[in-house]
Amino acid sequence: EAGAYATELGVKMADEEAEREGCGGAADAAAVALSVAPYLRARLQELESRLRENEEPGVQAATDYCQRFCQTLLEYAEKWKSSEDPLPLLEVYTIAIQSYSKARPYLTSECENVAFVLERLALSCVELLLCLPQELPDQCWKGFQTSVQVSHKKLMEHGSFELRLLASLTQESGVWKNQLLQSILSQEPLEQERVNEFLVTEGPILLGMRIKHLLKIKQVSQATALAKMCADNQEINSKGSFTQLYLVCLCAASPNIKLMETIANVDCKDALEMICNLESEGDEKTALILCAA
């Protein structure tokens, strides 16, 4: 089933990466990635050619393509781990995005996997970029920027906007280089209007991913600063669980008076829902701290 492969792609390329503790890279792995790249391009080009020539009904052809695309991508992505070889994986994702954008004119939107596979691929790429141990070299980053922007433009021409988040991220000179973001993380005094504009531009999905990544690498004070800004912004907080995230940050910093004061201002029903959410996510320690608070 194409849906099953798409789900497996999402699990392996996004969810598992979200659980990893850090990222690194090696020159030999990068060299292997470069040697493998032509073969991956050729495999994906073959899938595109078969899609063009396919005489099956639109939905069936799109389903078959998505299934084979996911199979091929998993075959190559599984060669590396994001915690050890992020750059080869980034090359794989880049090639996949380029290929998908070329195939998109021949894929019908009536097939739900068309949007789902692209969305999971984009989120995986964002997740990987966030956990890079250092920013990409300028030349590498500019090449990646161009590739994403070109692919995003092609996809939008056919009604696909799933790369919007990734395209927005690549408008900066680096994943963490936005000056306003750096000021927020450093807890510098800022004009609230500027902060609000930044939060809206980033959007709840990317902001949530940033906060969770900062918590994962033990940058608790930075995660707390960003989470508080999000929780205090009514528009952003209404689209994501940022009050809950903020409380998680306070718990990570250790239970204190600030946590007690914050939880006291949360509606009992909302607090109970947060505790249930944390338990369902496996974060029993934080759930217990909130119960005690």
Side-chain angles (χ1 to χ4, degrees):
E1 294 293 329
Y5 277 109
T7 300
E8 184 180 3
L9 175 71
V11 169
K12 286 187 177 292
M13 297 175 62
D15 296 342
E16 286 185 2
E17 285 169 14
E19 295 173 358
R20 301 188 190 279
E21 291 301 320
C23 293
D28 55 341
V32 173
L34 290 174
S35 67
V36 167
Y39 297 100
L40 175 58
R41 285 195 180 93
R43 290 277 300 277
L44 295 176
Q45 177 60 50
E46 180 184 352
L47 293 182
E48 181 191 338
S49 298
R50 290 167 66 178
L51 175 65
R52 293 186 186 190
E53 300 165 1
N54 203 320
E55 297 180 357
E56 293 288 337
V59 173
Q60 185 60 51
T63 300
D64 292 343
Y65 172 84
C66 289
Q67 177 176 331
R68 295 191 179 101
F69 179 89
C70 292
Q71 285 177 306
T72 303
L73 197 50
L74 280 170
E75 180 182 332
Y76 282 83
E78 286 180 338
K79 295 178 184 293
W80 299 281
K81 294 181 178 180
S82 63
S83 58
E84 299 171 2
D85 310 304
L87 295 182
L89 267 179
L90 185 61
E91 177 69 11
V92 169
Y93 292 173
T94 303
I95 293 171
I97 290 171
Q98 291 171 334
S99 177
Y100 207 90
S101 67
K102 290 172 63 179
R104 183 61 184 86
Y106 309 99
L107 295 167
T108 175
S109 298
E110 294 178 10
C111 175
E112 61 182 17
N113 289 328
V114 170
F116 179 70
V117 170
L118 183 57
E119 180 182 16
R120 299 301 293 186
L121 178 57
L123 287 174
S124 295
C125 200
V126 171
E127 189 78 51
L128 184 62
L129 288 170
L130 289 176
C131 79
L132 287 174
Q134 57 188 17
E135 297 284 2
L136 294 173
D138 288 344
Q139 185 176 358
C140 184
W141 178 253
K142 289 178 181 177
F144 178 72
Q145 273 183 314
T146 301
S147 176
V148 170
Q149 297 296 338
V150 170
S151 296
H152 183 45
K153 184 177 179 181
K154 286 182 181 179
L155 289 163
M156 287 194 298
E157 291 173 357
H158 297 280
S160 289
F161 298 90
E162 288 79 14
L163 280 194
R164 182 181 293 165
L165 180 62
L166 182 59
S168 176
L169 188 64
T170 58
Q171 288 177 359
E172 300 289 344
S173 59
V175 181
W176 296 95
K177 286 187 176 181
N178 182 282
Q179 289 300 314
L180 192 55
L181 172 62
Q182 287 298 320
S183 296
I184 292 173
L185 298 181
S186 301
Q187 302 181 52
E188 298 174 10
L190 292 167
E191 294 179 9
Q192 191 59 46
E193 185 175 348
R194 290 184 62 211
V195 172
N196 291 340
E197 288 177 0
F198 169 77
L199 296 179
V200 171
T201 300
E202 283 266 293
I205 295 177
L206 180 54
L207 289 167
M209 292 173 75
R210 286 192 188 279
I211 294 167
K212 290 174 182 178
H213 173 69
L214 290 169
L215 283 173
K216 183 173 62 179
I217 61 173
K218 311 302 181 184
Q219 297 295 326
V220 178
S221 63
Q222 294 185 351
T224 304
L226 184 55
K228 187 176 191 311
M229 289 290 187
C230 294
D232 289 345
N233 184 292
Q234 187 174 358
E235 180 179 352
I236 292 297
N237 198 26
S238 65
K239 299 175 181 177
S241 304
F242 290 103
T243 298
Q244 177 179 317
L245 262 180
Y246 178 49
L247 290 171
V248 169
C249 291
L250 293 178
C251 290
S254 76
N256 54 26
I257 296 175
K258 185 64 179 176
L259 171 60
M260 303 295 185
E261 292 175 347
T262 303
I263 196 67
N265 293 324
V266 176
D267 181 80
C268 292
K269 183 178 179 181
D270 291 340
L272 182 59
E273 183 178 352
M274 291 176 193
I275 292 169
C276 292
N277 289 340
L278 290 167
E279 287 184 336
S280 66
E281 294 168 5
D283 193 353
E284 296 180 357
K285 180 179 178 181
T286 303
L288 182 60
I289 292 173
L290 289 185
C291 283

